[in-house]
Amino acid sequence: MAYYQSKPVAGRHFLQIPGPTNVPDRVLRAMDNPTMDHRGPDFGKLGLALLEKVRAVFQTSGPVVIYPASGTGAWEAALVNTLSPGDRVLMCETGWFASLWREMAERLGLRPEFLKGDWRRGADPEQIEARLREDKAQEIKAVCVVHNETSTGCTSRIDEVRRALDAAGHPALLLVDTISSLASIDYRHEEWGVDVTVAGSQKGLMLPPGLSFNAISAKALKASETARLPRSFWDWKPMLAANATGYFPYTPATNMLYALDAAVDMLLEEGLQNVFARHDRHAEATRRAVRAWGLEIQCAEPRHYSSSLTAVRLPEGHSANALRAAILEKFNMSLGNGLGQLNDRVFRIGHLGDFNDLALMGTLSGVEMGLAVAGVPHKAGGARAAMDYLIGNAV
Ligand SMILES: Cc1ncc(COP(=O)(O)O)c(C=O)c1O
C-alpha cells in the first residue's frame, strides 16, 4: 500500500496532477544512498560537477543556485536579490501563480503593477511594451512573467516578451518563473536574455518537492550588488562564494542533490529537444481527447497551449471537484484541482515529467471513465482520438 493511502488499492496510483510528478525509479535509487559529509572532500566534487551540469537544463552558461526550498523560496530569492524597497515591478495576471507572486512582491515592500489578464492566455507582449514605453522615468525595475501558468495551462512566449523589452528600449530586469515548464517546455535562459529564472524540482525535473533554483544573468548579479531588500538565507553572494568550490553556505539537501544528479543525466541522455517534443506530442494528444469529449480547453489561445498540462472546463452546472473525487475513488488517479477563481470550474491533467504513451492512455482512459461515472455530459471517444494521434505520430 502506498505511504499514507487511506485504504488498500491494488496497482500503482496515477499521480497526474501538474506537479509534483512521478519520480522515476532511477531517481529514487539515487536518493536511496547514504547521506554524506557535506563538508567532506567528496561532496565538493559532486557539487562542482552538478552545479555545472544543471546549467544545460536552463540553457545557460551562467550560474544556477540551488536552494533547499520549494519554488516559493526561489520566487522570493529572485526578488530580494535584485530589487530595493519601493521599486516598481511589472507583473502579468496570467492566473493563480502570477497572483501569488504579485502578493509576495507587495508583502516584500515592492510596488507591483498587475497587467490585467483573463486567465485564458499567456502574458501579452504588446501590453508589456506599451507600459514600458510609457515609463519614461524608468521607474519599473523588473518585469516578472510566469512562463507556464500551472493554474490555467497557458504558456507565455518569453522570446516575445524579451523582444517587447528591447523594442521599448527599457532596462528593466526580466524575471521568469519556469516552475512548471523547465525540462518540459523549451526554455532558453541565455538566448532569451532572462535575468533570473525561477525553477522548482517537483515537475519537469522529476524530483520530489524540496529544491528550487535561480539561474542568474550577469546583469542580475550586478543589480544584486546595489539591491537593498533585506536578505539572508536567500542571499546569492555567500551561496555563489561557497558554490565556487562545490559547497553550500548551509546544509544542503544532500540526497535531493543525488536525485538531481540522476535526473539531469536522464534528461541529457534523452536529449532536451526530444524531451520537449515528447511533451508537445502528449499535450496535443490530450487536447484531441478533450475536443472529442466535447469539452472546452481553458487556454483560449492556441499559440499559448501548454505542453506540460491541460486545464479542462466543465459544462455549466457540473462540478470539477466532484469529477476529480469520483476519479480518485473509482480509478485511483489524482488530477489537479481548479485554483482561485477556477475552483470547481476546471480540472487539470498533468502530462509532464517521467511520462510515456501508455501512461498518457491510462490517464485519458481514467478521465473518460470518470466523466461517465460522474454523469458529466460528454461524447465517448476522447481516448480513442488521442490514441489515433499517437499512432499517426509514432516516434
Ligand atoms: C508556476 C508556479 N509558480 C510557483 C509555484 C509555487 O511553487 P511551490 O509550491 O513549489 O512553492 C508553483 C507551484 O505549483 C507553480 O506551478
Side-chain angles (χ1 to χ4, degrees), residues 23 106 129 134 137 290 300 316 343 389:
V23 179
E106 210 158 68
E129 183 180 333
E134 270 171 28
V290 175
E316 212 57 56
N343 178 35
Y389 177 75

Side-chain angles (χ1 to χ4, degrees), residues 18-19 70-73 75 97 146 148-150 177 179-180 202-203:
S70 83
T72 302
W75 262 351
F97 289 104
V146 174
N148 186 69
E149 182 46 83
T150 324
D177 168 342
I179 288 175
S180 60
Q202 72 273 28
K203 304 196 190 237

Side-chain angles (χ1 to χ4, degrees), residues 61 119 318 386:
S61 57
W119 294 39
H318 290 270

Side-chain angles (χ1 to χ4, degrees), residues 18-20 69-75 96-98 100-101 146-151 177-181 198-203 209-212 309 339 348:
S70 83
T72 302
W75 262 351
W96 172 252
F97 289 104
L100 290 183
W101 203 10
V146 174
H147 183 212
N148 186 69
E149 182 46 83
T150 324
S151 63
D177 168 342
T178 65
I179 288 175
S180 60
S181 57
V198 172
S201 56
Q202 72 273 28
K203 304 196 190 237
L211 291 183
S212 57
L309 78 134
L339 292 164
R348 296 173 298 144

Side-chain angles (χ1 to χ4, degrees), residues 284-298:
E284 177 59 26
T286 303
R287 291 190 293 269
R288 288 182 184 226
V290 175
R291 290 191 200 104
W293 290 324
L295 299 178
E296 199 183 340
I297 296 166
Q298 172 67 15

